[in-house]
Amino acid sequence: MIEWISKPWPWYVAGPLIGLTVPALLLLGNKNLGISSSLRHICAACFPGKIPFFQYDWKHEVWNLFFVTGVLLGGFVAMHLISNPAPVDVAPETVADLAKLNIPVDGNLLPASLFSFENLLSTQGFFFFVVGGFMVGFGTRYAGGCTSGHTIMGLSTLQWPSLVASCCFMAGGFVMVHLLFPVLLKWL
Amino acid sequence: MKLNPENTSQVEGPVLQFPEECEAPNNTLVKESLVGSNIKYLLLGSFFGIILTKAEIISWYRMQEMFRLQSFHMYGLIGSAVVVGITSVWLIKKFQIKTVYGEVVVFTRRTFSWGQVIGGTLFGCGWAITGACPGPLFAQLGSGFLAVSVTILSAIAGTWVYGRFSHRLPH
């Protein structure tokens, strides 16, 4: 059992489990799945200023902050109690493509050489941490949701604007990986 | 963002409603205590984080495979999650299943905004760079990539900047 659970979970196990968080949240307390909103609640709680966008009762939405704290703890549990001892398996075509960009496939979940504190103050670190993070925060709020709020929750309730958003998420990713990475990573 | 349907036909264009509603709202009517009522969301979030980590959705490499169409993993994951989500929502509506407090389940309706196109594309770019959407960012940090805390701080900054200038952006 422990051995099976420690291995990477296949999509047909993990996907349906993720789908089940939608009814779980709805039935536990009429909550809508959406993780990027937690970033907005943090702004509203810590530095709302006089900005109208952050003037609302964030305490009413505090469940969302409990949820993301849980996600953080879940990452810890999965990594330390039921972690996969084998190196992360990456498709050979991807390994070859990344080699062209000088990004090593090192067996970790993230390339440790890129996502380390040592790399933080380099231009490369600035790109992967600061620019990337900013685009995630700005983009999700501008879009009104992220992969959980639009792609999972929005599509589950058949909201066509969420389908538009989800397609744009994918389009942005394709543009970044295929058009911008080859150019940008040469300079970083 | 939310458009006022009565104003969309006016020449001035759509009028933003401030303060805008939360997009992942808490629609419950019962009075909730800070810790007692919310601890179950901490537990559910933990399960969610374990799934994200064990299915390697927090992996930067998996996102690269997805955007390069070199693995079916993420497509299978998102596809099956959506199918299960649609089915459960359909069942809740069909049998009028109530919440554990006996309330009617409220579904939030979304309206179209250009933010979904522009913001969505920007987020997609950020997703490819960081290898994570907001959920996996928290799980990456929890799983020991402590430097990702900087990414999360930057994402909070991005959210703040959006909030500060949202009234000047096309929606």
Side-chain angles (χ1 to χ4, degrees):
Chain A
M1 178 72 183
I2 283 291
E3 193 194 345
W4 187 85
I5 243 177
S6 303
K7 283 188 182 147
W9 298 1
W11 63 265
Y12 48 82
V13 174
L17 286 175
I18 288 179
L20 285 177
T21 47
V22 170
L25 282 172
L26 285 172
L27 297 178
L28 272 179
N30 247 327
K31 310 283 189 279
N32 285 238
L33 175 67
I35 292 182
S36 61
S37 292
S38 64
L39 303 170
R40 181 179 176 185
H41 304 329
I42 293 171
C43 290
C46 302
F47 11 79
K50 291 209 162 44
I51 302 165
F53 190 70
F54 298 122
Q55 309 302 321
Y56 62 93
D57 182 18
W58 62 270
K59 288 192 184 113
H60 185 64
E61 312 294 341
V62 78
W63 72 273
N64 202 301
L65 297 175
F66 276 81
F67 191 82
V68 293
T69 309
V71 172
L72 194 147
L73 293 176
F76 182 85
V77 169
M79 205 56 163
H80 292 88
L81 302 181
I82 46 172
S83 81
N84 173 26
V88 172
D89 192 24
V90 181
E93 299 91 336
T94 312
V95 176
D97 283 355
L98 291 176
K100 285 180 210 152
L101 298 170
N102 283 322
I103 296 173
V105 177
D106 57 10
N108 292 307
L109 285 167
L110 286 79
S113 58
L114 285 183
F115 291 92
S116 66
F117 279 113
E118 291 76 51
N119 203 23
L120 207 55
L121 294 173
S122 65
T123 44
Q124 205 185 41
F126 183 79
F127 178 68
F128 280 97
F129 291 103
V130 181
V131 176
F134 190 92
M135 288 175 94
V136 168
F138 186 90
T140 51
R141 203 70 277 122
Y142 196 179
C146 60
T147 339
S148 57
H150 271 310
T151 311
I152 308 292
M153 186 67 204
L155 293 188
S156 292
T157 50
L158 307 176
Q159 308 284 318
W160 69 266
S162 288
L163 182 63
V164 173
S166 303
C167 292
C168 292
F169 298 165
M170 292 307 292
F174 279 104
V175 167
M176 179 50 71
V177 164
H178 293 280
L179 303 179
L180 299 176
F181 261 20
V183 183
L184 288 171
L185 291 183
K186 231 184 264 176
W187 299 96
L188 299 170
Chain B
M1 290 287 133
K2 300 275 187 298
L3 303 178
N4 185 346
E6 288 161 19
N7 280 312
T8 43
S9 55
Q10 287 177 8
V11 216
E12 296 88 2
V15 177
L16 277 173
Q17 300 288 295
F18 282 111
E20 290 161 59
E21 295 155 51
C22 176
E23 282 109 355
N26 170 13
N27 290 319
T28 196
L29 300 170
V30 290
K31 180 108 182 66
E32 293 175 303
S33 64
L34 178 63
V35 178
S37 300
N38 285 309
I39 203 82
K40 52 183 178 287
Y41 302 109
L42 185 88
L43 285 175
L44 192 60
S46 304
F47 280 118
F48 199 78
I50 291 173
I51 302 164
L52 291 180
T53 311
K54 288 312 297 177
E56 300 181 338
I57 302 165
I58 69 165
S59 170
W60 189 86
Y61 295 112
R62 290 272 169 272
M63 298 309 123
Q64 286 292 314
E65 286 179 342
M66 170 176 71
F67 289 128
R68 292 170 192 278
L69 300 173
Q70 288 161 341
S71 162
F72 180 71
H73 185 71
M74 285 303 298
Y75 293 96
L77 257 161
I78 297 174
S80 58
V82 171
V83 168
V84 170
I86 290 177
T87 313
S88 352
V89 168
W90 181 78
L91 287 171
I92 289 176
K93 284 181 177 168
K94 167 119 178 127
F95 296 103
Q96 297 177 343
I97 303 173
K98 301 263 168 55
T99 73
V100 292
Y101 299 107
E103 292 175 29
V104 175
V105 175
V106 180
F107 293 98
T108 316
R109 225 175 70 81
R110 287 175 175 274
T111 44
F112 175 77
S113 135
W114 283 104
Q116 283 141 14
V117 176
I118 308 165
T121 309
L122 285 174
F123 163 54
C125 292
W127 184 11
I129 298 172
T130 61
C133 352
L137 278 181
F138 288 99
Q140 284 181 347
L141 177 61
S143 71
F145 286 92
L146 300 181
V148 173
S149 52
V150 179
T151 318
I152 295 177
L153 288 176
S154 188
I156 293 170
T159 304
W160 191 89
V161 170
Y162 170 75
R164 175 72 182 72
F165 297 103
S166 60
H167 58 289
R168 294 202 202 155
L169 296 167
H171 282 91

